[in-house]
Amino acid sequence: MKSRLIIFLLLFTTITLAQNKKTLNGKVIVGNVPASGIFVINKHTGTETKTSENGLFTIEAKPGERLTVYSDRTEVHDFVLSDKSFATQPYVLEVEPKAGELDEVIVERKKLDAEKLGLIEAGQKEYSVAERRERANRVVRKNQGLELSGDGLINRLNGKSRTIKENTRTSEKIQAADNLKAIYTPKEINANFGIPIDYVDGFITYACEDTDCRTFIKCNNKKRLKSLLTNLASDYIKLIEDEM
């Protein structure tokens, strides 16, 4: 009788966990190119998959869980999933090529030559991949007067503009989440804001959706950040209670 009860409980637990999972359709890109043969692993469940020749993949996951993307050609990168990750399909994960890759070396060499030739000013501000796309996507840019951007107009007409802006915001949120983890450990988030340990990753994702939160993290304004996180934690705990 006890054996049957244990089997029933195990089956019930397995079914319950499976019901909480969703199928995430994603795409891994390097720059703007689909990346094939890239491994994607759900760090919470250990489930692993590999991207197709078009950079596409599917994996079972849920908001709050973390995906790790890696290969011998790209840098390892973690992505924390949110509800928006499942709303926009495919969910685009952008990774950087390893520094030793040939194409990366060529890019660095071109930059150096351009500075030596005086084509660009030395020490110009560096922009991330997402920021460069956002700047290129603007219809009108200021550059010694007003300059009309053909790429921006085309992207506005074909619908890519919205995708580029969304990717830029996603990149900012990922960076903010990584920085927040450097400020507070999971135990500190639990102790300071009352977030259960199992929900810490989800809370970090939730908090970094807030524009003010990202600003305070970027400016390293810990006093205002702590005050804001206290308020956000109160709302997040209510969301947890409503789901139970």
Side-chain angles (χ1 to χ4, degrees):
M1 184 68 179
K2 289 183 179 180
S3 298
R4 291 181 179 178
L5 179 59
I6 292 173
I7 293 172
F8 172 77
L9 290 174
L10 288 173
L11 287 173
F12 178 77
T13 302
T14 302
I15 293 171
T16 301
L17 290 174
Q19 288 175 340
N20 291 331
K21 298 291 182 184
K22 301 178 181 179
T23 298
L24 177 70
N25 297 310
K27 183 176 185 179
V28 177
I29 62 173
V30 177
N32 198 33
V33 180
S36 62
I38 307 296
F39 292 98
V40 180
I41 184 170
N42 184 327
K43 294 184 71 172
H44 289 256
T45 64
T47 304
E48 184 178 86
T49 187
K50 200 173 184 181
T51 60
S52 68
E53 60 180 8
N54 296 320
L56 301 174
F57 71 90
T58 59
I59 195 168
E60 295 299 312
K62 65 180 180 180
E65 292 185 340
R66 186 188 303 273
L67 298 184
T68 297
V69 181
Y70 65 96
S71 76
D72 58 353
R73 312 188 312 275
T74 59
E75 299 290 348
V76 177
H77 205 310
D78 283 3
F79 298 86
V80 179
L81 299 177
S82 65
D83 289 328
K84 288 186 177 180
S85 305
F86 294 85
T88 303
Q89 301 288 317
Y91 174 49
V92 178
L93 308 178
E94 183 168 355
V95 296
E96 297 288 339
K98 285 188 175 179
E101 289 297 295
L102 180 61
D103 56 349
E104 186 75 4
V105 173
I106 292 173
V107 170
E108 289 299 322
R109 186 178 298 167
K110 285 183 178 178
K111 174 187 172 184
L112 181 62
D113 291 344
E115 287 184 358
K116 283 186 175 181
L117 292 171
L119 299 176
I120 61 173
E121 293 182 11
Q124 273 193 343
K125 180 179 177 181
E126 295 285 343
Y127 293 95
S128 68
V129 174
E131 287 172 332
R132 290 197 298 271
R133 287 183 187 161
E134 172 66 17
R135 288 169 64 82
N137 183 56
R138 296 173 187 167
V139 176
V140 177
R141 295 192 295 259
K142 185 177 181 181
N143 182 15
Q144 298 179 349
L146 292 180
E147 175 187 350
L148 190 64
S149 168
D151 290 342
L153 281 173
I154 293 171
N155 289 340
R156 187 68 57 84
L157 293 172
N158 65 18
K160 289 184 179 179
S161 176
R162 181 176 179 182
T163 301
I164 292 172
K165 289 182 179 179
E166 183 62 33
N167 287 343
T168 302
R169 287 191 290 268
T170 300
S171 178
E172 291 174 355
K173 291 171 188 176
I174 291 170
Q175 185 62 55
D178 289 341
N179 292 339
L180 182 56
K181 290 170 190 174
I183 297 172
Y184 291 105
T185 66
K187 288 184 179 180
E188 288 173 335
I189 290 177
N190 172 255
N192 286 302
F193 309 110
I195 301 297
I197 289 293
D198 291 341
Y199 289 85
V200 167
D201 283 343
F203 173 66
I204 290 174
T205 301
Y206 174 81
C208 290
E209 293 286 337
D210 187 278
T211 303
D212 289 337
C213 181
R214 297 198 299 273
T215 300
F216 296 153
I217 292 171
K218 188 174 183 179
C219 297
N220 200 27
N221 191 332
K222 294 182 181 180
K223 184 176 180 180
R224 298 191 69 179
L225 175 62
K226 186 174 182 179
S227 176
L228 177 61
L229 288 177
T230 300
N231 294 330
L232 291 175
S234 177
D235 294 337
Y236 190 71
I237 289 171
K238 289 179 182 178
L239 290 175
I240 296 174
E241 293 173 348
D242 290 341
E243 291 182 356
M244 291 182 174

